[in-house]
Amino acid sequence: ANARVVSFDGGGDDMDLPLKRLGADRDFAARHGLCGINSYNLGRPVAQLAHYFWSYFRTLDRIGAEIGTAIDVVLPSGALGNMAAAFMARQMGLPLRRLVAGVNANDITHRTIASGEFHRSDHMEKTLSDAINIQVPYNMERVFYYLTGEDASLVASWMAEMDRSARLTLPPAWLKRLQAIFSSARVDDAAMCAATRRALEQHGYLPCPHT
């Protein structure tokens, strides 16, 4: 068979980190023909760039606005692949004003944007939006890369500190730059369920709990 299903214990971090490390081992990846399609592979957010250009122009059509009008984007966020794609589109000149991350109880992204504390939690919270139960979003490294003007050395030093201590606190100047572009909110299961129920009752639409 060409497809196999493998189970694992833990959350998304426990699955993605070893795969990322295997992919970074070029000899191993070449020997086994390894290619990941999760968002630690740059190809994933690059492909998602198209979503933002399409959504931007469709939004302008819907609201009758002129090209160049800035819009905000609100995204459910776990490993931040989709958010990295939005930031890349913004860097390319697409008029996206604010990028807003909605997270569940595993709220490292919210804490990073709100206070600069990119600190791994001691444990993962089980939630009803389990696909975004992420303790350390690996695409935050890409966000930092573009935030710093593609300063690879600086970002490498930050991520080395994160790998060593599981705690990175952004310097105030960099936090200010992050907050100039990004906003965030922590949404618990009760609020998520209420929004899902409201969407169904008012619009006849049953959204995914990650929406």
Side-chain angles (χ1 to χ4, degrees), residues 31-46:
R31 189 163 64 251
H32 296 281
L34 184 67
C35 178
I37 58 172
N38 211 340
S39 62
Y40 60 78
N41 184 332
L42 180 61
R44 172 81 168 272
V46 166

Side-chain angles (χ1 to χ4, degrees), residues 74-117:
V74 182
L75 298 168
S77 300
L80 291 182
N82 219 347
M83 185 64 77
F87 195 17
M88 291 163 68
R90 189 181 190 275
Q91 293 293 97
M92 293 171 67
L94 191 66
L96 303 180
R97 184 171 46 201
R98 296 201 65 77
L99 307 179
V100 184
V103 303
N104 60 23
N106 300 290
D107 62 352
I108 184 171
T109 294
H110 176 55
R111 288 183 280 111
T112 302
I113 295 170
S115 62
E117 295 181 352

Side-chain angles (χ1 to χ4, degrees), residues 60-83:
L60 296 194
D61 287 344
R62 177 66 65 89
I63 65 176
E66 295 183 357
I67 292 176
T69 301
I71 66 171
D72 299 332
V73 175
V74 182
L75 298 168
S77 300
L80 291 182
N82 219 347
M83 185 64 77

Side-chain angles (χ1 to χ4, degrees), residues 118-139:
F118 189 47
H119 298 176
R120 180 186 173 110
S121 298
D122 293 333
H123 64 281
M124 184 189 71
E125 299 285 347
K126 181 64 177 175
T127 74
L128 295 175
S129 50
D130 57 348
I132 56 174
N133 285 345
I134 300 294
Q135 289 179 275
V136 180
Y138 41 79
N139 280 285

